[in-house]
Amino acid sequence: AQRVTQPEKLLSVFKGAPVELKCNYSYSGSPELFWYVQYSRQRLQLLLRHISRESIKGFTADLNKGETSFHLKKPFAQEEDSAMYYCALNGGYNKLIFGAGTRLAVHP
Amino acid sequence: DAGVIQSPRHEVTEMGQEVTLRCKPISGHNSLFWYRQTMMRGLELLIYFNNNVPIDDSGMPEDRFSAKMPNASFSTLKIQPSEPRDSAVYFCASSYGGQATEAFFGQGTRLTVV
């Protein structure tokens, strides 16, 4: 079965604290994984994809096939990082299967 | 390009009425997706099209839901008759085929069925 699990509905941290948003997946084959972000009153947009191995806005995510995980990390959270974060898996034909999402709240 | 355009942005309708949501994908994109977002179930894929052809509609909840893509620049999602449990935000997204392609989302249509 193709599935994405984000165990935390809400992650609340203070500005400057490290952040890790967890994502686990279930997929038979070589997965393509993404993180999408939805800021308040904005449309859902791509944050990063595992294939690019890039850092966007200070965020990174490493694909761990052994643990079937793709956790999103940032060493020092900023208030402007507050948003809804979705982990997504390409289920074929670029069809995205999303996790339930984690709301990140960064407090001053 | 203005991105993926959805209309209307908000729709309030009475139970039993027909509702039609519209989507204009980004020009040149060959895949189009309809998603539904609720607090309880998160983002669910309802249906997706590739080159205007429906590929997988297994996410469409009931026969009350139907979707069409008559051409590469327009798609509709219709609910007839609508029910209060259909209240949600409906998103349309488009992408161009290729490995790990980014999906571009519209602003969504917030549907309230009373």
Side-chain angles (χ1 to χ4, degrees), chain B residues 17-19 64-65 77-82 86 90 111:
Chain B
Q17 295 298 306
E18 177 180 296
V19 175
R64 298 183 297 107
F65 286 68
L77 177 68
K78 185 179 293 186
I79 308 173
Q80 165 63 18
S82 58
D86 301 331
Y90 291 81
L111 174 64

Side-chain angles (χ1 to χ4, degrees), chain A:
Chain A
Q2 301 171 347
R3 189 169 56 246
V4 176
T5 303
Q6 293 181 252
E8 303 142 326
K9 284 192 176 295
L10 172 65
L11 187 61
S12 187
V13 301
F14 287 103
K15 176 182 172 182
V19 167
E20 183 180 51
L21 288 82
K22 291 185 168 48
C23 171
N24 288 89
Y25 67 90
S26 173
Y27 187 71
S28 58
S30 189
E32 290 180 2
L33 287 152
F34 308 80
W35 278 98
Y36 278 77
V37 61
Q38 189 175 28
Y39 300 103
S40 179
R41 300 185 186 280
Q42 294 188 27
R43 63 185 72 196
L44 199 63
Q45 58 188 287
L46 178 68
L47 179 62
L48 54 79
R49 67 196 98 187
H50 92 271
I51 196 171
S52 301
R53 301 184 66 83
E54 58 198 343
S55 173
I56 304 293
K57 299 184 179 182
F59 285 97
T60 59
D62 292 318
L63 177 61
N64 185 323
K65 292 186 178 180
E67 297 183 357
T68 59
S69 68
F70 188 56
H71 303 326
L72 184 67
K73 300 178 183 179
K74 184 169 183 176
F76 308 103
Q78 302 299 315
E79 289 181 67
E80 56 265 29
D81 296 327
S82 295
M84 195 74 182
Y85 291 81
Y86 292 93
C87 184
L89 168 72
N90 182 350
Y93 287 98
N94 288 317
K95 169 185 75 172
L96 290 173
I97 299 168
F98 285 90
T102 298
R103 179 167 298 283
L104 174 63
V106 182
H107 303 286

Side-chain angles (χ1 to χ4, degrees), chain B residues 53-74:
Chain B
V53 176
I55 302 298
D56 184 353
D57 65 354
S58 60
M60 296 285 261
E62 299 171 33
D63 290 346
R64 298 183 297 107
F65 286 68
S66 63
K68 293 182 180 179
M69 192 165 185
N71 56 61
S73 58
F74 185 64

